[in-house]
Amino acid sequence: MKYVQLGKTDLIVSRICFGCWQLSPRFWGNVPLDEWNMALKRAMELGINFIDTADAYGDGFAETALGDFIEKNKCRKNLIIATKFYWNFTDPENRYPDTRYDYIIRECELSLKRLKTDYIDLYQIHAWDPLTRPDEVAAALNTLKKQGKIRWVGVSNMNVHQISMYLRYVDIECLQPLYNILDRDVEKEELPFCLEKKIGVITYSTLARGILTGKYTGNEKFQDSRANHPRFTGENFKKISDAVNIVMRPLAEKMGLSVAELAVRWVLTHPAITSAIVGVKKPQHIETVIRASDDILENHLWYRIASDMKSACI
Ligand SMILES: NC(=O)c1ccc[n+]([C@@H]2O[C@H](COP(=O)([O-])OP(=O)(O)OC[C@H]3O[C@@H](n4cnc5c(N)ncnc54)[C@H](OP(=O)(O)O)[C@@H]3O)[C@@H](O)[C@H]2O)c1
């Protein structure tokens, strides 16, 4: 496993980050916790030290599972924990964005309890909240930093303008955007901006929710949130699955990698990217992706994969 500095922080993180959204039954069904625990253990054995979660994943369930793992394995100091706040899920039927001062202070306390720790390494604003002023959000984050409850601040799902609004009041060390071979919007503005400002970038949906692993034929039916997702239904699903098998599989095989590893390596090749988050349910998910960080792609290959996939998916 390769490690890099996250932005300007003192955090040295593995280039693959273990994503915990899969512990959200509403989106991913019921993932057996014993398998998930084994996967996290395996990830640590293979050198992963960076974990991404959120208070809202399973309405606290994912943070609680991670906290239980940490307590049982006494491994807090071996992990770098990134979590998020934004969704007020006090009433699960009426969730809404909430980044008001009091809510952040309260929610951070609850995250610390669930995670069974007294500090969060990277506390991320999950998305832009149009109803709360950036200076109010920043005031809460600066208070938490002063108290030592959070070490560094990050943002997710934000454009350059939104990040700049927060930067006026609080240091932002990391952006967590959607980025993979099929979703490349952030290449235009956000990635160059982060490179210039030395803001770390950790990508989500690196495998485009699994479709870039090459394990689908395009005929599968899903029981989870992918059941109605345009990329996982109908002609589109078939077209993308075929493209992965025609464009990516032969290249991956030639390089001795799994298709998932090629997809992750493609993301890690961009110079702005610190780490790629991969959503994990079981040990095999980690074992078949781990070599992605051993190297990066040559420029011509990076370009060819992206353009061939684009042409094949039209
Ligand atoms: N900030 C945000 O708004 C945001 C949004 C989304 C995600 N995230 C974060 O990013 C993480 C990853 O993103 P994601 O959950 O969208 O999906 P992803 O990593 O693109 O895909 C995850 C899915 O891919 C499959 N998979 C994973 N590793 C595999 C492997 N080695 N071989 C074969 N299949 C594999 C699994 O599918 P099956 O379920 O079919 O087994 C898994 O559920 C999340 O866990 C979360 O931490 C953040």
Side-chain angles (χ1 to χ4, degrees):
M1 177 55 56
K2 294 268 197 312
Y3 302 86
V4 277
Q5 180 182 6
L6 177 74
K8 302 182 288 305
T9 71
D10 59 357
L11 303 173
I12 306 298
V13 295
S14 50
R15 292 212 78 196
I16 297 178
C17 174
F18 187 105
C20 297
W21 183 34
Q22 277 55 28
L23 289 188
S24 183
R26 209 153 54 91
F27 290 94
W28 292 95
N30 288 315
V31 172
L33 260 190
D34 50 347
E35 278 212 338
W36 184 87
N37 277 292
M38 284 194 298
L40 185 47
K41 206 160 191 181
R42 191 75 187 115
M44 290 183 71
E45 282 165 10
L46 292 171
I48 290 178
N49 68 356
F50 195 17
I51 316 288
D52 177 70
T53 188
D55 59 347
Y57 293 170
D59 294 355
F61 180 62
E63 282 188 339
T64 302
L66 178 55
D68 290 347
F69 178 93
I70 289 168
E71 187 175 58
K72 188 164 169 234
N73 294 283
K74 299 185 176 44
C75 59
R76 176 64 186 97
K77 62 180 184 315
N78 302 326
L79 290 176
I80 293 169
I81 297 178
T83 192
K84 316 181 190 79
F85 65 92
Y86 174 80
W87 288 108
N88 187 324
F89 53 89
T90 314
D91 171 4
E93 300 306 314
N94 290 301
R95 299 150 64 91
Y96 62 96
D98 196 348
T99 63
R100 288 172 293 180
Y101 185 96
D102 290 345
Y103 178 74
I104 296 173
I105 300 291
R106 195 204 73 179
E107 196 54 27
C108 179
E109 210 57 61
L110 292 174
S111 283
L112 289 169
K113 275 208 185 84
R114 287 187 290 255
L115 290 164
K116 297 177 183 62
T117 182
D118 50 12
Y119 68 98
I120 290 162
D121 296 285
L122 181 69
Y123 203 36
Q124 305 163 104
I125 313 170
H126 211 143
W128 173 258
D129 174 2
L131 298 184
T132 308
R133 291 175 55 89
D135 55 333
E136 178 175 340
V137 180
L141 292 168
N142 283 325
T143 299
L144 291 169
K145 270 176 102 172
K146 265 192 214 117
Q147 293 172 340
K149 293 180 177 171
I150 64 173
R151 298 213 50 228
W152 305 100
V153 173
V155 296
S156 181
N157 299 301
M158 289 193 201
N159 62 32
V160 167
H161 182 63
Q162 293 164 339
I163 303 168
S164 303
M165 301 264 274
Y166 285 116
L167 273 174
R168 290 166 64 184
Y169 307 105
V170 60
D171 291 334
I172 302 292
E173 309 292 350
C174 186
L175 169 67
Q176 184 179 142
L178 167 68
Y179 185 53
N180 60 58
I181 294 170
L182 301 172
D183 298 294
R184 301 176 57 198
D185 286 355
V186 291
E187 279 175 18
K188 288 187 210 105
E189 293 186 7
E190 286 73 22
L191 298 189
F193 177 81
C194 289
L195 259 181
E196 191 204 330
K197 301 272 181 207
K198 294 193 170 49
I199 293 174
V201 179
I202 59 178
T203 62
Y204 76 75
S205 293
T206 308
L207 298 170
R209 297 198 186 185
I211 206 164
L212 291 175
T213 63
K215 68 178 174 183
Y216 306 123
T217 60
N219 298 312
E220 292 78 2
K221 297 269 176 263
F222 293 89
Q223 304 299 324
D224 53 33
S225 62
R226 293 174 290 190
N228 301 313
H229 193 292
R231 247 184 211 158
F232 289 88
T233 46
E235 249 180 60
N236 217 12
F237 183 31
K238 182 85 183 114
K239 208 185 286 177
I240 302 172
S241 305
D242 287 349
V244 174
N245 281 309
I246 292 164
V247 175
M248 294 175 63
R249 186 176 298 286
L251 280 173
E253 280 172 5
K254 211 165 147 195
M255 297 169 75
L257 300 175
S258 69
V259 180
E261 283 169 328
L262 182 60
V264 172
R265 187 171 288 185
W266 185 90
V267 161
L268 292 176
T269 298
H270 192 294
I273 307 304
T274 310
S275 300
I277 313 174
V278 174
V280 179
K281 290 178 174 173
K282 50 189 175 188
Q284 294 96 303
H285 285 163
I286 281 298
E287 284 156 355
T288 56
V289 91
I290 202 75
R291 288 168 307 167
S293 86
D294 290 352
D295 206 346
I296 55 171
L297 296 173
E298 289 178 42
N299 291 14
H300 73 275
L301 258 186
W302 183 87
Y303 176 78
R304 195 175 114 201
I305 291 169
S307 60
D308 287 359
M309 281 296 289
K310 195 173 176 187
S311 313
C313 290
I314 288 169

